[in-house]
Amino acid sequence: MDARSSSPSNESPWLPFESRRRARDEKREAVLRTAVALFLEQGYHRATLNEVAKRLNITKPALYNYFRGKDEILYECWSIGNELVDDCIAETSASTGSGLSKLRKLIVRYAELMTADYGKSLVRFDLRDLSEANRKIVQTAKRRIDRAFRDYIAQGVADSSVKPCDPKLAAFAIAGSLNWIGHWFQPGGEMTGRAVAEEFAIRLTEGIATTSTRKTTMRKAAVPAAEKADKPPRKGNASREETSEHHTRTAARAAGQSKRARGRLR
């Protein structure tokens, strides 16, 4: 008997079904990641599947093993972004707290998503480039997102964490500001996506938050003790050196803020 025929090391050259499916899914995801980055970089109409294939180091015909065309890739990119938004809404709905608290949670999650490629795909591409059937799906999803913002605002009005207001107009104002993040945010800047999201959560709600909730927010965002030390020395107790050191710190901080402001305006 040939011992080699019974060797346990002899394995089929064909991958098991689960392994093959996983490999295919990973390749499909690689196509989507590359394509969405290219669409955002060059614009949907200027980007080509030839360039997508080139960046993946494969042939263009190989792409058709995963997608039938560029518009299908575009829809899939949007679909992933929409699934992430649905996760944000589900997580927020499952949390406890006031309407304002939930609104801010959703703003943070949604704003942070707008700094990532799949999130940007929700606001940077033209719906007219999708098939009619897919356009209807997208439009329905957009209404669902708008409804989530309105519901938390209405809940806040009911529990007095939000001032009486028109939930529809307030939701439009908030969502419009958040969607614009997807147009101007660039990674590697002075602020991370999370930092931008948390700042927007405060700025976009301070006008509709009731006085008590604004005070709570201000207390949480109180200046750290180390920064409090930068207050001007009390007159009569300050030496010339202390006063000079304070003015030096103040001038340096103001210069830094001015530089950041100029950077945002570019």
Side-chain angles (χ1 to χ4, degrees):
M1 181 177 179
D2 189 346
R4 289 176 299 178
S5 63
S6 60
S7 173
S9 63
N10 280 349
E11 296 180 355
S12 169
W14 300 101
L15 289 172
F17 174 75
E18 285 298 327
S19 297
R20 281 186 281 120
R21 185 173 66 178
R22 184 166 56 251
R24 178 181 173 79
D25 289 345
E26 289 172 354
K27 291 176 181 178
R28 193 172 187 274
E29 289 171 10
V31 172
L32 288 172
R33 286 194 304 270
T34 302
V36 72
L38 187 65
F39 292 169
L40 292 169
E41 176 188 323
Q42 298 184 1
Y44 174 72
H45 289 289
R46 290 182 59 193
T48 66
L49 292 185
N50 281 328
E51 181 64 23
V52 173
K54 182 179 178 181
R55 292 192 179 190
L56 289 167
N57 198 28
I58 61 176
T59 64
K60 181 180 177 181
L63 291 176
Y64 293 102
N65 290 323
Y66 309 101
F67 299 98
R68 288 171 293 185
K70 195 165 74 163
D71 62 329
E72 184 177 350
I73 294 177
L74 179 67
Y75 174 73
E76 286 297 323
C77 292
W78 173 88
S79 184
I80 292 174
N82 183 63
E83 287 177 8
L84 294 172
V85 173
D86 284 344
D87 290 343
C88 296
I89 295 173
E91 182 180 319
T92 304
S93 297
S95 65
T96 58
S98 66
L100 179 65
S101 173
K102 290 184 177 182
L103 176 62
R104 283 175 172 162
K105 287 179 182 177
L106 181 58
I107 289 175
V108 169
R109 292 292 308 278
Y110 189 87
E112 193 170 15
L113 181 59
M114 285 297 110
T115 67
D117 283 355
Y118 287 126
K120 292 178 181 180
S121 71
L122 297 174
V123 297
R124 291 271 294 273
F125 303 134
D126 194 333
L127 294 185
R128 289 173 294 185
D129 291 320
L130 299 174
S131 67
E132 183 178 355
N134 286 340
R135 273 202 307 273
K136 290 180 179 179
I137 295 173
V138 172
Q139 289 164 347
T140 299
K142 285 180 177 293
R143 287 194 291 269
R144 187 168 63 250
I145 295 170
D146 173 64
R147 175 54 59 188
F149 281 107
R150 291 194 204 186
D151 286 347
Y152 295 139
I153 294 170
Q155 182 181 331
V157 172
D159 63 25
S160 299
S161 60
V162 171
K163 295 176 183 178
C165 62
D166 184 332
K168 178 181 178 179
L169 290 180
F172 280 167
I174 290 172
S177 297
L178 295 177
N179 288 340
W180 197 244
I181 294 174
H183 292 268
W184 59 258
F185 181 84
Q186 293 295 329
E190 193 168 302
M191 294 182 72
T192 64
R194 181 71 180 190
V196 169
E198 291 176 346
E199 181 74 11
F200 266 60
I202 299 301
R203 299 302 172 210
L204 293 178
T205 59
E206 61 184 356
I208 61 173
T210 54
T211 303
S212 59
T213 51
R214 280 206 308 274
K215 288 181 177 178
T216 300
T217 300
M218 290 173 67
R219 283 198 298 270
K220 289 181 179 179
V223 179
E227 291 183 24
K228 290 179 181 177
D230 281 346
K231 290 182 178 179
R234 288 180 295 177
K235 291 181 180 179
N237 296 329
S239 66
R240 182 177 299 176
E241 291 78 8
E242 289 174 325
T243 303
S244 176
E245 182 181 355
H246 166 73
H247 287 313
T248 300
R249 288 197 301 266
T250 302
R253 188 163 56 249
Q257 291 171 345
S258 176
K259 183 178 179 181
R260 288 194 294 272
R262 288 196 303 271
R264 287 195 294 269
L265 291 173
R266 286 173 184 166

